[in-house]
Amino acid sequence: MEILREIERAVIDGKVRDIEGVVQKALDTGLEAHSILDGALAVGMLEVGRRFREGEYFLPEVVSSANAMKKAIKLLEPYLAGKTAREPVGKMVIGTVKGDVHDIGKNLVAIMFQGAGFEVLDLGVDVKPDRFVQAISELGPDVVGMSALLSTTMVSITDTIEAIKASGLRSQVKIIIGGAPVTQEFADRVGADGYAPDAASAVEKARELLRLDA
Amino acid sequence: MTSRERVLAALEHREPDRVPVDLWLTAEAYRNLRSYLGMPVKETYPPGSTTWSMDCRAELDLVERLGVDIVRIGSRPPGGKGLTWLPDGTCVDEWGVRRRKVEFKTGTYLEIIDPPLKDATIEDLNDYPWPDPHDPAVVEGLREQARFIRENTPYAIHAQFGRGGIYEQAKYLRGEEQLYMDCAMNPEFVLALHEKLCQIEMEFNRVGIEAIGEYVDILRLSPEDLGTQTSTQLSPRMHEEMVRPFFKRSFGEAKRLLQEKNPRGKIQYHSCGAIYPLMRGLIDDGMDIFDPLQLRCKDFEPARLKADFGSDITFLGGIDVQQTLPLGTPAEVREEVRVRIKEMAPGGGYILASSHRLQPDIPPANVLAMYEAAKEYGKYPIKL
């Protein structure tokens, strides 16, 4: 459908200013919010993720796309609420760990997961271990994502995983970690289930851990 | 060979007696280190490279104790007062950027809240209260300090006068995410902001060089982070259009002015991240020294950088602050120093230091291991 392709292009081109108009037009023609989300926004974000991973897109492009996507989702939210039409692929809780307020990378991961059909609860930045535990027990996510930009704050990932273990909830979630100093070796050592070097691969890693076949 | 002779030889791509070493660290790491060494520990130390960055400049006693070859000095904020603390516990620097304290396990960082130009238009830039490079506090006492170091110590002098930079300061003033979106959708604004900041950076450098240029062996421009862990922040094309023209002007002018006062003076530029695709342009525009050589970034293997750019520039840094220094053992630190010297030191053009400021999570024993190993393995000719 032409209007869906137009919305998809608005995500890919990061049309932060124009996207709401196009989405509204689609709603006005009677399209279901879910069809717009799945048939246009998610498809566009998938392409953005591919371009980012393959070095065609850089931060300006991907941050613009993410913000366009966010605006579109915000507009759709009232229409999505209360509908049982669509089950999320999975649920995710994500945050930048305690002591760290860097969130550009974390925000990109969150939006990529939304694009991939996950229900995402973004806890924000400087998130204490207890807050992660509380969100896990309340939402029952499949995936927990944690981010840190610095070696000095990376230790909060360790503390958070320990707190999740102590709460007895560890076996219920897959934990994926990322951020500049984070490595696979660190992930193994602190008992995370996965590590991803960038936002697009984080989604792939989650799908692999949850055994969701494409 | 004095420390200064050692540094100058390395910068001129001659092999000195041993690999020179530098020291760059946060105030918390500085206190940890002094305390570990049984040296007097004060609450405050000489302020670091910018008003807000919470680093400090090591005093001569520690430089001597560790066998460091370089002393870092620099400008002070206009007005001379540094950060202004507000009743709500936040602070404002000379650019009007507000920050709050964020605590982590081993220390505190200051992080930006509410960037002052987040909603600004190009017209607003004319009325903004920019810092004044000509404020007398900026270079107050600097000449006496530089002369003292030159006349009474053997060390090379490393100076930074710029107080925020161009693209870097734009991120602080505008908000990083907003600046990225501007680059994509509002390039005229980015160019206008960079133009303003370029003029200020150049003026801070001019004032500093005028004050002490003949003493400055290394002029470090304001740090400008262009990379993430895995790529450049902007596409190389966007970098060419929106950042590089300003760097070209700023680098070129700083170098010209410095070398009028000191023909052997060199220009140092800092960027974090994986910026391999931008290195050639930075060199063409006048960079003599690149710091901090973050070896874990994509395409940033030290040996590759040495092979591709080692005859053109000097590398400063290279001992990993992301894994080895904070998490490794002293033996692992020593091994990293050995490998790095083997890769980077032949022919000169290498000054060993941490791959960013030493952070508060780095055990002082690892710092000492780094400097001890640098002396042991760093003797020329390198036979490792």
Side-chain angles (χ1 to χ4, degrees):
Chain A
M1 201 181 282
E2 187 49 39
I3 186 79
L4 289 180
R5 297 290 73 78
E6 204 180 322
I7 295 171
E8 181 188 327
R9 270 199 307 277
V11 171
I12 295 171
D13 296 341
K15 299 280 188 201
V16 179
R17 294 191 205 111
D18 308 337
I19 196 161
E20 285 163 310
V22 196
V23 171
Q24 190 58 54
K25 196 164 82 182
L27 286 169
D28 292 345
T29 64
L31 271 173
E32 287 282 331
H34 286 298
S35 316
I36 298 172
L37 184 59
D38 297 339
L41 298 177
V43 184
M45 209 58 212
L46 203 65
E47 175 63 9
V48 171
R50 186 194 67 76
R51 292 186 187 188
F52 188 42
R53 198 177 53 239
E54 291 178 9
E56 285 173 50
Y57 267 14
F58 292 80
L59 285 171
E61 296 83 7
V62 79
V63 165
S64 299
S65 291
N67 278 282
M69 172 100 171
K70 247 191 259 176
K71 281 203 162 172
I73 290 177
K74 202 164 167 86
L75 184 62
L76 292 180
E77 251 162 18
Y79 301 92
L80 292 166
K83 298 269 171 92
T84 51
R86 171 176 164 276
E87 271 294 301
V89 169
K91 290 183 189 173
M92 177 196 222
V93 165
I94 189 169
T96 301
V97 293
K98 184 174 164 10
D100 201 317
V101 301
H102 298 90
D103 64 354
I104 292 179
K106 182 266 295 167
N107 293 347
L108 294 178
V109 174
I111 206 85
M112 298 275 176
F113 272 83
Q114 272 185 304
F118 281 77
E119 179 184 334
V120 177
L121 176 63
D122 186 344
L123 300 175
V125 299
D126 194 12
V127 180
K128 295 187 175 66
D130 291 357
R131 181 73 189 96
F132 274 103
V133 170
Q134 186 197 355
I136 295 168
S137 76
E138 284 172 12
L139 186 74
D142 306 284
V143 185
V144 175
M146 294 177 213
S147 162
L149 181 74
L150 306 155
S151 67
T152 46
T153 54
M154 187 168 71
V155 289
S156 295
I157 292 178
T158 320
D159 296 347
T160 309
I161 293 177
E162 288 306 316
I164 295 170
K165 277 186 195 160
S167 72
L169 296 166
R170 178 67 187 89
S171 62
Q172 297 176 25
V173 293
K174 298 291 182 193
I175 297 176
I176 300 184
I177 64 175
V182 177
T183 58
Q184 184 62 52
E185 188 191 348
F186 179 78
D188 294 342
R189 192 165 63 229
V190 300
D193 297 298
Y195 151 76
D198 60 73
S201 359
V203 176
E204 282 173 18
K205 177 55 80 176
R207 296 188 64 93
E208 174 196 317
L209 291 171
L210 298 174
R211 298 171 196 276
L212 299 169
D213 296 318
Chain B
M1 215 171 208
T2 68
S3 283
R4 181 166 181 252
E5 288 164 350
R6 186 173 297 131
V7 170
L8 293 180
L11 295 178
E12 289 163 358
H13 294 262
R14 292 179 281 114
E15 293 194 344
D17 57 343
R18 65 165 172 81
V19 172
V21 294
D22 187 27
L23 171 64
W24 184 35
L25 72 188
T26 70
E28 285 155 342
Y30 191 54
R31 286 194 283 270
N32 293 346
L33 192 53
R34 291 187 70 98
S35 162
Y36 184 82
L37 291 167
M39 300 173 79
V41 179
K42 297 183 284 190
E43 248 326 288
T44 56
Y45 285 98
S49 50
T50 60
T51 311
W52 62 273
S53 53
M54 303 187 78
D55 56 347
C56 73
R57 296 189 167 103
E59 291 153 307
L60 285 168
D61 60 346
L62 187 72
V63 167
E64 189 180 344
R65 170 71 178 74
L66 294 176
V68 170
D69 296 297
I70 293 170
V71 175
R72 293 186 172 220
I73 61 176
S75 67
R76 292 167 181 279
K81 60 183 166 40
L83 295 166
T84 305
W85 288 93
L86 304 175
D88 65 357
T90 64
C91 60
V92 181
D93 69 10
E94 69 263 40
W95 299 88
V97 175
R98 195 164 143 231
R99 292 181 173 82
R100 70 180 173 100
K101 283 184 172 179
V102 178
E103 284 176 24
F104 53 94
K105 209 163 196 170
T106 46
T108 307
Y109 292 127
L110 290 176
E111 303 287 3
I112 293 174
I113 43 174
D114 204 19
L117 294 180
K118 67 178 193 301
D119 300 317
T121 62
I122 291 176
E123 292 70 44
D124 294 335
L125 300 180
N126 294 323
D127 307 325
Y128 193 73
W130 301 104
D132 176 13
H134 297 280
D135 185 294
V138 170
V139 291
E140 199 186 321
L142 198 54
R143 190 164 176 82
E144 293 70 25
Q145 189 187 13
R147 190 193 298 135
F148 178 87
I149 295 166
R150 173 56 42 79
E151 289 174 359
N152 298 283
T153 82
Y155 305 116
I157 295 180
H158 174 289
Q160 181 182 322
F161 307 123
R163 305 203 58 83
I166 305 166
Y167 171 67
E168 188 70 17
Q169 189 63 41
K171 285 185 258 179
Y172 302 161
L173 289 162
R174 184 69 164 170
E176 189 165 352
E177 206 167 321
Q178 184 58 48
L179 190 77
Y180 293 141
M181 286 200 281
D182 292 331
C183 287
M185 286 174 292
N186 191 4
E188 303 78 21
F189 182 85
V190 179
L191 292 174
L193 182 53
H194 282 175
E195 174 60 40
K196 188 75 207 170
L197 293 169
C198 182
Q199 290 170 13
I200 297 172
E201 167 77 9
M202 287 169 68
E203 203 54 22
F204 270 115
N205 281 318
R206 201 179 63 74
V207 166
I209 292 166
E210 207 154 90
I212 62 165
E214 67 269 39
Y215 296 116
V216 175
D217 299 304
I218 298 174
L219 171 63
R220 187 182 194 244
L221 304 170
S222 287
E224 308 257 10
D225 291 339
L226 300 173
T228 74
Q229 190 76 10
T230 51
S231 78
T232 55
Q233 293 172 357
L234 309 183
S235 66
R237 181 188 61 78
M238 212 176 253
H239 174 81
E240 281 293 319
E241 287 168 12
M242 272 179 254
V243 180
R244 189 166 169 205
F246 302 97
F247 279 16
K248 202 180 173 75
R249 256 163 70 197
S250 164
F251 288 25
E253 181 70 355
K255 193 162 179 164
R256 187 182 68 77
L257 291 171
L258 177 65
Q259 292 185 344
E260 272 177 21
K261 290 259 201 161
N262 171 17
R264 294 174 85 181
K266 297 278 190 277
I267 300 294
Q268 179 180 337
Y269 166 79
H270 163 102
S271 172
C272 284
I275 62 159
Y276 184 91
L278 311 180
M279 289 292 285
R280 182 50 63 191
L282 292 165
I283 293 167
D284 289 347
D285 293 343
M287 170 174 77
D288 299 306
I289 305 161
F290 176 74
D291 86 279
L293 185 52
Q294 292 182 336
L295 54 145
R296 288 181 180 270
C297 292
K298 186 166 179 286
D299 297 331
F300 244 41
E301 298 81 14
R304 173 184 182 168
L305 292 175
K306 178 77 174 176
D308 292 354
F309 309 117
S311 56
D312 301 309
I313 53 168
T314 294
F315 289 92
L316 186 155
I319 306 302
D320 176 36
V321 298
Q322 285 187 321
Q323 301 285 335
T324 313
L325 280 166
L327 302 172
T329 62
E332 286 164 339
V333 172
R334 288 176 56 81
E335 176 57 13
E336 176 152 329
V337 168
R338 189 186 70 80
V339 172
R340 199 65 2 85
I341 287 175
K342 185 178 174 181
E343 292 168 329
M344 302 302 290
Y350 181 52
I351 298 172
L352 185 140
S354 46
S355 71
H356 206 281
R357 291 180 190 99
L358 292 170
Q359 299 290 320
D361 61 344
I362 295 173
N366 283 358
V367 178
L368 296 191
M370 174 173 82
Y371 288 113
E372 280 160 15
K375 292 213 182 89
E376 185 181 331
Y377 297 127
K379 291 191 189 77
Y380 283 97
I382 306 294
K383 287 180 187 150
L384 295 171

